[in-house]
Amino acid sequence: MDSKRITSCAALAKLAGVAKSTVSHALRDDARVSLKTRQRIQALAKEHGFRANPLVSAQMSAVKNGRKTISWEATIGFAAHKSLDEAVDEAKTALKFYYDGAAKRASELGFKLKFVTLRPEAEGNLKLEESLSRHAVKGVIFAPSGIAYPLSNFEFNWSDYAVVSLANIFKNPRINSICNDEFETINRALTRFEEAGFKRIGIAMRESQDMRVKHVWLAGFEAYQARVPRSRRIRKLMTQDWSKENFIDWFEAERPDMILCIDDDPMRWLGEEGVMVPRDVKLATLYWLPSRPQLAGYYQNHEVMGAAAVDLVSAQLYHNERGLPLEPKKVLIQSIWRDGESFAAD
């Protein structure tokens, strides 16, 4: 078979021996085309490097729905509170991994991804919209912000854009979002450790870390505590005063054999007091990052979340949908386990 790159829907249709409309439906995974034919056409498209032009798809959708001609470039904005260089260099947050996943998926779908930096100054929103307009961006993914620049009650001309947020970063307005399934993550963690034979499972973190996931960690742990015997229940440590002194006092009073945490402070503090991890107590994080590989735990699949955000915003662009949704969608992405010395086998 000729392996030369295919650049048109007509050429792909000729190669597949089907009508152009069949190719169009198959590439959109439309059920009007049989699954076998969809898979064959999609495989041919991948083999020959063919990518559908999202501009054409959006234009056809607009015409089909009786709308006027639309004009926008095939570019999606990725709005974050840091610059692209800062995001790439930052190893202690998930921003780089969100961006990597979004950029890869955007390329696969034929979009460009434009990184846009949000700034906390008063005119920041205006600068954002100026930048989006300059690059003809009509779809925007909002990445999680730092504490210094929360995106709650963010003033923005929502009606002009297809928008998606990553994680729980907006209280108002409510928009489509891609989130980790944190409740499932903590339930899977607790089940895993119970099945491994741990009897006294505790949780220790900054209160702000639980607040950032809308208290899902707290809810999952309290639900677990309610179903185990009282003799195995451990007082949680979710505190504003996150310090070695408070943590060690809690550890000595409760004597857990397994601790759920977020960052690596507990592992370091226990070591300084002569408590060896994982010999004397095991730890696992609910928010694994490559920057702390010594902690075993659950990675929230940030690349997959970034890719899913592109899928969701591109779907809105394909259908020429703009503005705040009447019924916001929340897509939940599952975590995956990462090994680390804090949970190594004895």
Side-chain angles (χ1 to χ4, degrees):
M1 184 177 292
D2 185 4
S3 61
K4 188 169 65 175
R5 182 184 176 91
I6 287 177
T7 59
S8 73
C9 192
L12 182 59
K14 183 177 180 180
L15 179 66
V18 298
K20 283 174 60 178
S21 59
T22 301
V23 167
S24 178
H25 293 319
L27 294 180
R28 294 201 303 271
D29 217 24
D30 193 319
R32 284 178 288 184
V33 178
S34 71
L35 177 61
K36 183 177 180 180
T37 300
R38 275 182 278 158
Q39 290 176 337
R40 182 171 69 87
I41 292 172
Q42 290 167 7
L44 282 172
K46 184 175 181 180
E47 178 184 349
H48 292 275
F50 177 77
R51 293 172 180 169
N53 188 337
L55 279 170
V56 174
S57 297
Q59 181 68 65
M60 290 178 65
S61 178
V63 171
K64 181 180 178 180
N65 289 284
R67 298 186 180 96
K68 295 180 179 179
T69 300
I70 58 174
S71 60
W72 50 275
E73 292 186 23
T75 303
I76 294 174
F78 186 93
H81 64 287
K82 294 185 177 182
S83 69
L84 179 56
D85 287 343
E86 289 171 326
V88 170
D89 291 340
E90 178 59 77
K92 295 184 178 180
T93 72
L95 185 57
K96 175 185 185 300
F97 310 111
Y98 286 128
Y99 179 75
D100 287 347
K104 182 175 183 294
R105 185 57 173 159
S107 177
E108 291 171 350
L109 296 181
F111 286 93
K112 299 176 183 177
L113 192 69
K114 173 65 179 176
F115 196 100
V116 182
T117 304
L118 301 174
R119 293 302 184 193
E121 55 265 26
E123 67 274 19
N125 296 7
L126 180 60
K127 288 184 177 180
L128 169 61
E129 294 196 37
E130 286 177 351
S131 179
L132 296 177
S133 176
R134 185 166 60 252
H135 294 281
V137 175
K138 285 299 181 182
V140 185
I141 297 168
F142 287 95
S145 65
I147 295 174
Y149 191 67
L151 294 179
S152 299
N153 299 308
F154 189 69
E155 294 184 4
F156 184 65
N157 188 15
W158 302 103
S159 62
D160 283 353
Y161 300 92
V163 292
V164 172
S165 73
L166 283 163
N168 294 304
I169 62 172
F170 284 101
K171 292 182 180 179
N172 183 38
R174 295 171 63 230
I175 68 174
N176 295 329
S177 61
I178 307 294
C179 300
N180 177 258
D181 192 349
E182 285 109 351
F183 193 76
E184 178 68 10
T185 296
I186 190 170
N187 275 314
R188 286 168 60 199
L190 291 164
T191 299
R192 182 189 192 106
F193 306 141
E194 261 207 317
E195 291 177 348
F198 294 97
K199 301 299 183 183
R200 294 184 59 77
I201 303 173
I203 190 167
M205 65 180 66
R206 293 180 178 88
E207 186 178 69
S208 60
Q209 291 168 329
D210 181 55
M211 289 174 63
R212 287 183 71 85
V213 297
K214 297 186 176 179
H215 304 291
V216 169
W217 302 145
L218 173 61
F221 186 73
E222 292 285 10
Y224 163 75
Q225 291 279 74
R227 65 177 184 264
V228 300
R230 288 186 178 275
S231 61
R232 290 174 50 194
R233 295 178 188 174
I234 289 183
R235 174 174 56 91
K236 64 184 177 294
L237 180 64
M238 291 183 177
T239 176
Q240 294 181 3
D241 185 10
W242 180 250
S243 64
K244 177 182 176 180
E245 181 180 6
N246 277 352
F247 173 78
I248 295 299
D249 286 347
W250 169 82
F251 176 79
E252 291 180 345
E254 302 296 333
R255 287 294 169 181
D257 54 8
M258 176 73 218
I259 301 172
L260 283 172
C261 59
I262 299 297
D263 53 40
D264 57 2
D265 289 339
M267 189 172 181
R268 185 177 69 257
W269 291 337
L270 288 167
E272 291 170 356
E273 294 300 309
V275 180
M276 302 306 296
V277 177
R279 185 194 67 190
D280 302 323
V281 62
K282 287 182 168 54
L283 274 70
T285 177
L286 294 167
Y287 196 83
W288 185 92
L289 284 174
S291 58
R292 43 185 185 238
Q294 71 276 20
L295 278 181
Y298 284 91
Y299 177 51
Q300 297 199 353
N301 252 339
H302 297 117
E303 293 91 347
V304 175
M305 290 176 66
V310 171
D311 286 340
L312 192 50
V313 79
S314 66
Q316 295 171 66
L317 293 173
Y318 283 140
H319 294 95
N320 201 26
E321 296 173 352
R322 304 289 189 273
L324 298 174
L326 293 176
E327 299 293 337
K329 301 180 182 71
K330 177 179 285 189
V331 179
L332 299 179
I333 304 299
Q334 298 303 310
S335 299
I336 53 176
W337 175 262
R338 297 293 195 196
D339 289 325
E341 64 181 83
S342 71
F343 194 72
D346 295 330

